[in-house]
Amino acid sequence: MTRVLALALGALVLAAACGQSGPSSYTIQASQNINLVSPDFPDAGNLPVALSCDGQGRAPSLTWSDPPPTTRSLVVEFIDTEAAHGVFAHWLVYDIPPGARSLQPPLSAQATQGRNDFGGIGYGGLCPPRGQTHIYLLLIYAVEADPTLPAGLNRAQLEARFKDNVIGMGQLEGTFSR
């Protein structure tokens, strides 16, 4: 029951993070929760300056539990849910092998990075306007789709390719202020 509730809440958070209000145009459903952990997401919720445009601008390190057995690839999204023009993608990583249990920058050649909303490939540091606190989500999805996506997809292109094939998901939430 707790797992079903957590997955339902995750789908609602994702719908909200996609800039949708009310009933979503699609719902990403998952049959299994993936336990996502990062030393960069402390209990207090405040993300470190090292992940920001004021610090080293480095991507977070993360580990996760076993995905469902039929997983063909994993997808990671790091997004700002409070951006002025809707959700802002800071990092998109996909075609991660199903046997992987961590992502430690710099990335291996086995994973593909997408185009962040700064316009570059790879990670773009957290950089909310000064005086504002933004909420960030780090999401992982286990998908049954073949890992053959081209490099440089933006968030909309990426989600269109995997949203119907999600079988597991996990998330972390944090805040950052400048």
Side-chain angles (χ1 to χ4, degrees):
M1 180 69 162
T2 303
R3 178 179 288 172
V4 173
L5 179 59
L7 293 173
L9 287 173
L12 289 174
V13 168
L14 181 61
C18 292
Q20 301 167 350
S21 59
S24 61
S25 59
Y26 69 89
T27 301
I28 294 181
Q29 296 183 15
S31 61
Q32 182 174 329
N33 189 27
I34 298 172
N35 184 29
L36 184 59
V37 178
S38 174
D40 297 309
F41 280 73
D43 291 337
N46 296 318
L47 299 172
V49 172
L51 302 181
S52 77
C53 61
D54 294 330
Q56 293 92 358
R58 69 169 175 78
S61 296
L62 46 141
T63 59
W64 54 86
S65 62
D66 290 346
T70 58
T71 300
R72 302 286 301 271
S73 67
L74 298 159
V75 175
V76 169
E77 294 183 326
F78 192 16
I79 58 175
D80 177 349
T81 66
E82 304 286 318
H85 300 290
V87 173
F88 190 94
H90 284 271
W91 197 28
L92 303 170
V93 186
Y94 46 96
D95 291 350
I96 303 166
R101 295 298 174 269
S102 68
L103 204 53
Q104 310 293 328
L107 299 183
S108 71
Q110 292 180 317
T112 304
Q113 295 191 80
R115 185 167 305 283
N116 62 48
D117 285 335
F118 291 113
I121 302 294
Y123 182 76
L126 312 178
C127 207
R130 293 201 185 277
Q132 293 185 14
T133 299
H134 284 203
I135 299 171
Y136 296 88
L137 295 178
L138 184 59
L139 304 156
I140 188 166
Y141 304 99
V143 298
E144 289 183 310
D146 287 327
T148 57
L149 300 176
L153 293 177
N154 66 32
R155 188 170 145 266
Q157 293 167 328
L158 177 61
E159 287 182 355
R161 301 227 184 161
F162 79 80
K163 67 179 174 148
D164 294 330
N165 297 297
V166 174
I167 56 175
M169 65 182 287
Q171 73 177 39
L172 293 172
E173 181 177 320
T175 59
F176 186 76
S177 301
R178 295 179 63 218

